[in-house]
Amino acid sequence: DSGVTQTPKHLITATGQRVTLRCSPRSGDLSVYWYQQSLDQGLQFLIHYYNGEERAKGNILERFSAQQFPDLHSELNLSSLELGDSALYFCASSRGPEERQPQHFGDGTRLSIL
Amino acid sequence: TQLLEQSPQFLSIQEGENLTVYCNSSSVFSSLQWYRQEPGEGPVLLVTVVTGGEVKKLKRLTFQFGDARKDSSLHITAAQPGDTGLYLCAGAKDGNQFYFGTGTSLTVIP
């Protein structure tokens, strides 16, 4: 158990809809990272938050947004969903903002777009 | 095109054999990490290397960061069925941007 909690575990929805994925980091971790994992693209870095502030942006689409709240949990919002958004979405957390710190991954949310 | 290419993509070996997985790029990374992922779970960090030429050992696993910090290798000695999984390298550059490799799926047959 990594200590990182992601909900829901599975999400099935239709094209054009909007969903929110939630992540609770390990106790004491201030950084939250979001990743997308699909069969054709592999694991792609989306965005990094540290203590409520955005630190780095990766391959995140404009239809996607994220935030980290004062209690340090984070949400990833996906809107105008397309079939190609079907993937596993992972959240990871680490103590500080530095890239070299170990990241602890949750078990992911599997998003299926019908 | 992925920034980090791993080879081989798939590897199936007998228990007790040795193997090496490669992670290559034309870009320089400030640090590189190796993860193992099992089905239905998130990746689990194995090691972080930060210095060019650095070698780290974790029991039967040996990790090396290339001198130019563009590539890395993972060598497993006397593989066991418990080593089965997806091995991913991940490089950090451009100020906290992370790039994961294409992955190597390892199966160790008892």
Side-chain angles (χ1 to χ4, degrees):
Chain A
D1 181 12
S2 68
V4 178
T5 303
Q6 289 189 247
T7 56
K9 285 195 179 305
H10 303 275
L11 202 47
I12 302 174
T13 188
T15 55
Q17 295 299 304
R18 172 190 169 95
V19 296
T20 297
L21 312 184
R22 184 188 168 100
C23 170
S24 293
R26 282 191 332 159
S27 176
D29 284 359
L30 299 177
S31 271
V32 169
Y33 302 80
W34 285 99
Y35 296 88
Q36 179 194 59
Q37 187 174 38
S38 60
L39 283 175
D40 56 342
Q41 294 286 322
L43 201 60
Q44 300 281 326
F45 166 65
L46 296 178
I47 199 163
H48 169 208
Y49 277 86
Y50 172 72
N51 204 21
E53 299 287 326
E54 182 185 303
R55 288 279 295 187
K57 249 182 180 176
N59 295 326
I60 188 165
L61 299 171
E62 284 191 13
R63 300 183 286 108
F64 296 2
S65 65
Q67 54 184 325
Q68 186 179 27
F69 295 88
D71 68 353
L72 301 176
H73 90 272
S74 178
E75 292 181 355
L76 179 67
N77 300 296
L78 316 176
S79 62
S80 302
L81 287 168
E82 302 175 0
L83 292 176
D85 297 329
S86 293
L88 261 172
Y89 290 84
F90 285 104
C91 162
S93 73
S94 67
R95 281 275 183 256
E98 297 85 13
E99 62 192 37
R100 299 170 186 181
Q101 297 211 342
Q103 292 185 36
H104 302 272
F105 281 76
D107 286 339
T109 292
R110 182 173 294 280
L111 176 64
S112 299
I113 312 299
L114 304 179
Chain B
T1 306
Q2 294 278 77
L3 202 58
L4 281 164
E5 294 287 337
Q6 287 183 235
S7 62
Q9 188 176 358
F10 297 96
L11 192 52
S12 182
I13 61 171
Q14 292 291 134
E15 181 176 359
E17 291 183 354
N18 301 332
L19 66 118
T20 301
V21 177
Y22 298 94
C23 173
N24 295 304
S25 177
S26 56
S27 295
V28 176
F29 294 94
S30 54
S31 65
L32 195 134
Q33 299 176 333
W34 283 92
Y35 291 83
R36 187 173 80 198
Q37 184 179 18
E38 299 190 28
E41 298 179 8
V44 176
L45 179 68
L46 297 174
V47 78
T48 300
V49 285
V50 299
T51 307
E54 182 177 1
V55 176
K56 278 192 175 178
K57 290 195 173 187
L58 186 68
K59 296 183 182 177
R60 295 176 293 101
L61 278 59
T62 302
F63 305 86
Q64 183 160 9
F65 202 10
D67 291 340
R69 290 186 285 125
K70 292 182 180 181
D71 52 77
S72 181
S73 64
L74 157 60
H75 182 79
I76 301 179
T77 304
Q80 298 177 2
D83 295 328
T84 293
L86 178 67
Y87 288 82
L88 295 159
C89 62
K93 66 193 298 283
D94 303 331
N96 256 347
Q97 292 276 341
F98 285 91
Y99 299 89
F100 273 81
T102 47
T104 294
S105 180
L106 171 66
T107 301
V108 182
I109 303 164

